[in-house]
Amino acid sequence: MKSIQRVAIITGITKGIGKAIAESLAARGIYLVGVSRNEKDIAELFDRLCSKHKIDCLAVQTDVSQNELVNTLITRTLERFGRIDILVNNAAVGTFGSIIDSKLDDWQKMIDINLKSVYLCSKAVLPQMMRQKNGSIINISSVCGLRGYSKCGAYCASKFGVNGLSEVLALEAKPSNIRVFAVCPDVVDTTFANNTNASLTNKSNMLRPEDIGDRVGLLIDSGAKSQVCEIRLKPSNFFHRHLRRENKKRKVEKRTIKYL
Ligand SMILES: NC(=O)c1ccc[n+]([C@@H]2O[C@H](COP(=O)([O-])OP(=O)(O)OC[C@H]3O[C@@H](n4cnc5c(N)ncnc54)[C@H](OP(=O)(O)O)[C@@H]3O)[C@@H](O)[C@H]2O)c1
């Protein structure tokens, strides 16, 4: 039996995590549709991936927060490949500061690019995935979608939204054999993180973009019956650091008890 050639759309493919996910899926022989606002950067990435992995790729310059552009993206994908197996909603932006000092335009931009785009792209691929009775939607969220961080108002709100939307999508798409995942990484060493307060994090305590790329690849490879709602990714030395902190706390507590 001829195996089906899988096709993945990855938004925000030109940098950091998106690039690493592209590498991981290309290594699995999956054909790629790459999306960002900068066609030249996608073309450069695809030149390398196509010759290295012998795959077919389509570069689509798109702002994922614009409904009409997203619909054109899906039309062009189907014209070229005739199917969509995987959607990775990865594109996002971040402007950080306290809510009182924030600008409405920045707030709106983050909600549009980080959250509305997940709704638009997912809604647009669902009819095709439902026809195929198969598909995976992977939403790159963040630990900022699991708890609040000071000076991250709109970013946290957008990522909490992504996690909520992922749960609803998972329920609604399950009868069509479509799996939906939300991946929630801690700080990852990319230009995005290095332009924020997260840049103060010691590099050895950051995840690498490849860690997320590998994990997304594993999710795609996992059996059709497995459905993980949310995956939280921490750097491997996190538990060491956590243990050290806990031990230190215990020592302080012991000393305090002694002096009581
Ligand atoms: N880095 C971290 O510490 C971290 C931690 C947890 C979660 N995340 C999440 O991981 C994802 C990727 O982050 P990253 O660190 O790799 O960010 P990044 O290096 O800034 O890359 C963001 C990507 O999104 C694209 N993009 C931005 N706005 C877009 C738009 N309107 N339409 C289409 N593409 C757009 C950018 O390309 P163009 O500028 O060319 O459009 C770029 O390819 C994001 O969802 C982020 O929230 C990151």
Coordinates of all heavy atoms in Angstrom, one line a residue, residues 11-18 35-38 41 62-65 90-93 113 140-143 155 159 185-193, ligand 1:
T11 N 3.4 28.0 11.3 CA 3.5 29.5 11.4 C 4.7 30.0 12.2 O 5.1 29.3 13.1 CB 2.1 30.1 11.9 OG1 2.1 29.8 13.4 CG2 0.9 29.4 11.3
G12 N 5.2 31.1 11.8 CA 6.4 31.6 12.5 C 7.6 30.7 12.3 O 8.3 30.5 13.2
I13 N 7.8 30.3 11.0 CA 8.8 29.3 10.7 C 10.2 29.9 10.6 O 11.2 29.1 10.6 CB 8.4 28.6 9.4 CG1 9.1 27.2 9.4 CG2 8.7 29.4 8.2 CD1 8.6 26.3 8.3
T14 N 10.4 31.2 10.6 CA 11.7 31.7 10.2 C 12.7 31.9 11.3 O 13.9 32.1 11.0 CB 11.5 33.1 9.5 OG1 10.7 33.9 10.4 CG2 10.9 33.0 8.1
K15 N 12.2 31.8 12.5 CA 13.1 32.0 13.7 C 13.0 30.9 14.7 O 12.1 30.1 14.6 CB 12.8 33.4 14.3 CG 13.1 34.5 13.4 CD 12.8 35.9 14.1 CE 12.7 37.0 13.1 NZ 11.6 37.9 13.4
G16 N 13.8 31.0 15.7 CA 13.8 30.2 16.9 C 13.1 28.9 16.9 O 13.5 27.9 16.2
I17 N 12.0 28.8 17.6 CA 11.3 27.5 17.8 C 10.6 27.0 16.5 O 10.7 25.8 16.2 CB 10.2 27.7 18.9 CG1 10.9 28.0 20.3 CG2 9.3 26.5 19.0 CD1 10.0 28.4 21.4
G18 N 10.1 27.9 15.7 CA 9.4 27.5 14.5 C 10.5 26.9 13.5 O 10.2 25.8 12.9
V35 N 5.2 29.7 7.1 CA 4.5 30.9 7.1 C 5.3 31.9 8.0 O 5.6 31.6 9.1 CB 3.1 30.7 7.7 CG1 2.3 32.0 7.8 CG2 2.3 29.6 7.0
S36 N 5.5 33.1 7.5 CA 5.9 34.3 8.3 C 5.6 35.5 7.5 O 5.1 35.4 6.3 CB 7.4 34.2 8.7 OG 8.2 35.0 7.9
R37 N 5.9 36.7 8.0 CA 5.7 37.9 7.2 C 6.8 38.2 6.3 O 6.8 39.2 5.6 CB 5.4 39.1 8.2 CG 4.2 38.9 9.0 CD 4.2 39.8 10.2 NE 5.3 39.6 11.1 CZ 5.5 40.2 12.3 NH1 4.6 41.1 12.7 NH2 6.5 39.9 13.0
N38 N 7.8 37.3 6.3 CA 9.0 37.6 5.5 C 9.4 36.5 4.6 O 10.0 35.5 5.0 CB 10.2 37.9 6.5 CG 11.4 38.4 5.9 OD1 11.6 38.1 4.7 ND2 12.2 39.1 6.6
D41 N 13.2 35.1 4.1 CA 13.7 34.2 5.2 C 13.2 32.8 5.1 O 13.9 31.8 5.3 CB 13.3 34.8 6.6 CG 14.1 36.0 6.9 OD1 15.1 36.4 6.1 OD2 13.8 36.7 8.0
T62 N 2.6 35.5 5.0 CA 1.3 35.8 5.5 C 1.3 36.4 6.9 O 2.2 36.0 7.7 CB 0.5 34.4 5.6 OG1 0.3 33.9 4.4 CG2 -0.8 34.6 6.3
D63 N 0.4 37.3 7.1 CA 0.2 37.8 8.5 C -0.9 36.9 9.1 O -2.1 37.0 8.6 CB -0.1 39.3 8.5 CG -0.4 39.8 9.9 OD1 -0.6 39.0 10.8 OD2 -0.4 41.0 10.1
V64 N -0.6 36.1 10.0 CA -1.6 35.1 10.5 C -2.7 35.7 11.3 O -3.7 35.0 11.6 CB -0.9 34.0 11.4 CG1 -0.2 33.0 10.5 CG2 0.0 34.5 12.4
S65 N -2.7 37.0 11.6 CA -3.8 37.6 12.3 C -4.9 38.1 11.3 O -5.9 38.7 11.7 CB -3.3 38.8 13.2 OG -2.7 39.8 12.4
N90 N 2.5 28.5 15.8 CA 3.7 28.9 16.6 C 4.0 30.4 16.6 O 4.6 30.9 17.6 CB 4.9 28.2 16.0 CG 6.2 28.7 16.5 OD1 6.6 28.5 17.7 ND2 7.0 29.4 15.6
A91 N 3.5 31.1 15.6 CA 3.8 32.6 15.5 C 3.3 33.3 16.7 O 2.2 33.1 17.2 CB 3.2 33.1 14.2
A92 N 4.1 34.2 17.2 CA 3.7 35.1 18.3 C 4.6 36.3 18.5 O 5.7 36.2 18.0 CB 3.6 34.3 19.7
V93 N 4.1 37.3 19.2 CA 5.0 38.4 19.5 C 4.8 38.8 20.9 O 3.8 38.3 21.6 CB 4.6 39.7 18.6 CG1 4.9 39.5 17.2 CG2 3.1 40.0 18.8
I113 N -2.2 38.5 17.1 CA -1.2 37.6 16.6 C -1.1 36.3 17.4 O -0.9 35.2 16.8 CB 0.2 38.3 16.4 CG1 0.1 39.5 15.5 CG2 1.3 37.3 15.9 CD1 1.4 40.3 15.3
I140 N 1.7 26.2 20.1 CA 2.9 26.5 21.0 C 2.4 27.6 21.9 O 2.3 28.8 21.5 CB 4.1 26.9 20.1 CG1 4.5 25.9 19.1 CG2 5.3 27.2 21.1 CD1 4.7 24.4 19.6
S141 N 2.1 27.2 23.1 CA 1.7 28.1 24.1 C 2.9 28.5 25.0 O 4.0 28.7 24.4 CB 0.6 27.5 25.0 OG 0.1 28.4 25.9
S142 N 2.8 28.5 26.3 CA 3.9 29.0 27.2 C 3.5 28.7 28.6 O 2.4 28.5 28.9 CB 4.1 30.5 27.0 OG 4.9 31.0 28.0
V143 N 4.6 28.7 29.5 CA 4.2 28.6 30.9 C 3.4 29.9 31.3 O 2.7 29.8 32.3 CB 5.5 28.5 31.8 CG1 6.1 27.1 31.7 CG2 6.5 29.6 31.5
Y155 N 0.5 39.2 27.1 CA 1.1 37.9 26.7 C 0.5 36.8 27.4 O 0.1 35.8 26.8 CB 2.7 38.0 26.9 CG 3.4 36.8 26.3 CD1 3.5 36.6 24.9 CD2 3.9 35.8 27.2 CE1 4.2 35.5 24.4 CE2 4.6 34.7 26.6 CZ 4.7 34.6 25.3 OH 5.4 33.5 24.8
K159 N -1.8 33.7 26.0 CA -1.4 32.3 26.1 C -2.4 31.5 27.0 O -2.7 30.3 26.7 CB 0.0 32.1 26.7 CG 1.1 32.7 25.7 CD 1.1 31.9 24.4 CE 2.2 32.4 23.5 NZ 2.3 31.6 22.2
P185 N 6.3 25.7 26.9 CA 7.7 25.7 27.3 C 8.0 26.8 28.3 O 7.3 27.9 28.3 CB 8.5 26.0 26.0 CG 7.5 26.0 24.9 CD 6.1 26.3 25.5
D186 N 9.0 26.6 29.1 CA 9.6 27.6 30.0 C 10.5 28.5 29.0 O 10.4 28.3 27.8 CB 10.5 26.9 31.0 CG 10.5 27.7 32.3 OD1 10.8 28.9 32.3 OD2 10.2 27.1 33.4
V187 N 11.4 29.2 29.6 CA 12.2 30.2 28.7 C 13.0 29.4 27.7 O 13.7 28.4 28.1 CB 13.1 31.0 29.6 CG1 13.9 32.0 28.7 CG2 12.3 31.8 30.6
V188 N 13.0 29.8 26.4 CA 13.7 29.1 25.4 C 14.7 30.2 24.8 O 14.4 31.3 24.6 CB 12.8 28.6 24.3 CG1 13.6 27.8 23.2 CG2 11.6 27.9 24.8
D189 N 15.9 29.7 24.5 CA 17.0 30.6 24.1 C 16.8 31.0 22.6 O 17.3 30.4 21.7 CB 18.3 29.9 24.2 CG 19.5 30.8 23.9 OD1 19.3 32.0 23.7 OD2 20.6 30.3 23.9
T190 N 15.9 32.1 22.4 CA 15.6 32.6 21.1 C 15.7 34.1 21.1 O 15.8 34.7 22.2 CB 14.2 32.2 20.6 OG1 13.3 32.9 21.4 CG2 13.9 30.7 20.7
T191 N 15.7 34.8 20.0 CA 15.7 36.3 20.0 C 14.5 36.8 20.7 O 14.7 37.8 21.4 CB 15.7 36.8 18.5 OG1 14.8 36.1 17.8 CG2 17.0 36.8 17.9
F192 N 13.4 36.1 20.7 CA 12.2 36.5 21.4 C 12.5 36.7 22.9 O 12.3 37.7 23.5 CB 11.1 35.5 21.1 CG 9.8 35.8 21.8 CD1 8.8 36.4 21.2 CD2 9.6 35.3 23.1 CE1 7.6 36.7 21.8 CE2 8.4 35.5 23.8 CZ 7.4 36.2 23.1
A193 N 13.0 35.6 23.5 CA 13.3 35.6 24.9 C 14.5 36.6 25.2 O 14.4 37.3 26.2 CB 13.7 34.2 25.4
Ligands
LIG1 N1 11.3 32.0 23.5 C1 10.7 31.7 24.6 O1 11.2 31.8 25.7 C2 9.3 31.1 24.6 C3 8.9 30.4 25.7 C4 7.6 29.8 25.7 C5 6.8 29.9 24.6 N2 7.3 30.6 23.5 C6 6.4 30.6 22.3 O2 7.1 29.9 21.2 C7 6.7 30.5 20.0 C8 7.9 30.9 19.1 O3 8.7 31.8 19.9 P1 10.2 32.2 19.5 O4 10.9 32.4 20.7 O5 10.7 31.2 18.5 O6 9.9 33.6 18.8 P2 10.7 34.4 17.6 O7 12.1 33.9 17.6 O8 10.4 35.8 17.8 O9 9.9 33.9 16.3 C9 8.6 34.3 16.1 C10 8.1 33.8 14.7 O10 6.8 34.3 14.4 C11 6.7 35.0 13.2 N3 5.6 35.9 13.3 C12 5.5 37.0 14.2 N4 4.3 37.6 13.9 C13 3.8 37.0 12.8 C14 2.6 37.2 12.1 N5 1.7 38.2 12.4 N6 2.3 36.4 11.0 C15 3.1 35.4 10.7 N7 4.3 35.2 11.4 C16 4.6 36.0 12.4 C17 8.1 35.6 13.0 O11 8.5 35.9 11.7 P3 8.3 37.3 11.0 O12 8.7 38.3 11.9 O13 9.1 37.2 9.7 O14 6.8 37.4 10.6 C18 9.0 34.5 13.6 O15 9.2 33.5 12.6 C19 5.7 31.7 20.3 O16 4.4 31.2 20.3 C20 6.1 32.0 21.7 O17 5.1 32.6 22.4 C21 8.5 31.1 23.4

